[in-house]
Amino acid sequence: NAGFVILPEGLSPHVTDWWMLIPIILGTTVGAIGFPVIMDVAKNLRTPRRWRLHTKLTLTTYAALTVASSLAIAVFEWGNPNTYGALPISGRVLTALINGVNARSSGLSTIAPEHMHEATWFLQDALMFVGGGSASTAGGIKVSTFAVLVLAIMAEARGDRDIEAFGRRITLSTVRLSVAVAFIGSTIVGVATLLLLQLTDLTLDRVLFEVISAFATVGLSTGITPILPLGAKYVIVALMFIGMPGIDQRFRHYPQLYSRIGFSHRYAPLSKDELAFVLKRHWQHRGQEMSDDDFTDAQVMAAIARLTGGNFRLLQRLFVQVDRVLRINELSVVTAEVVEAAASALVIGHAT
């Protein structure tokens, strides 16, 4: 991440070297889709239908953005003599592939971004802002956030009451969280852009590129970083700290910033007794009783404890899905199988 290269001349001498760049493209992709996705795919490699919704959304969105951005950048830069124009056909294709992923995480580039057209800068601005998968090496607002927003817009345009993906419903609370994360990210980028425009005499296109690159911890630059005044450099540094992977722990006291949609937070996990108390209260609210001595109830408690890890917010979201599974299947008794089915419908997957 962040575009660090130890080679004296960077990757420019290897612009047509497929053996050099394909591993970088693959490494960038694997690092940017997120560790939960990697673990889910590895666990269910031969049964993709069992992949969690979070995994399917991340992989589908990431792949679509990669293909679309590679083609678009190739179209924009194909005849540019300072970038693609001087390369053979195979080199142009390879450069398009690496440009399709580098703005999402690694920031490694074989051509200088400052020589690209303004249209390419704007496209890469959008790609850097979206970033990669949750719990990955990538920054940005996350592809899962972007996917939920797109699905919400499509559902609204069709007049659908529910927002669905891969046969599963996405809750309204998830949509609100996605909107909140996107708005917070946009506000941070907007404020930083205004500050840099005030502190420098640079044009908006170059400043915006630099700001989003810093916020998403990508490392691409139009070459203006060395000439920025001291105050502007402090703004860039602040942006990198705000957007860096791992900064999520600084937001753990703000529950509205949800982990698998964008930024993360932590709750102190419920103890065994606290979890049992919450479950019994919820069962009473449903007009049922939960007994520690009942084998089925004991299995349910064990399954919920394992799936949520005592995370109170995740527990509340699981309750919603449990009620939905019961209603759809016309069941009245909660079993461990019902809990497992409910957990598979959650966008966030397992708690970590």
Side-chain angles (χ1 to χ4, degrees), residues 264-284:
S264 296
H265 71 281
R266 282 186 178 178
Y267 285 93
L270 299 174
S271 66
K272 182 179 179 180
D273 292 340
E274 290 172 334
L275 180 61
F277 175 78
V278 172
L279 293 177
K280 290 178 180 179
R281 286 291 298 272
H282 182 72
W283 255 243
Q284 290 175 359

Side-chain angles (χ1 to χ4, degrees), residues 5 36-37 69 81 93 130 149 217 225 230 270 339:
V5 180
V37 173
S69 59
V93 173
V130 171
L149 292 175
T217 63
T225 303
L230 184 60
L270 299 174
V339 174

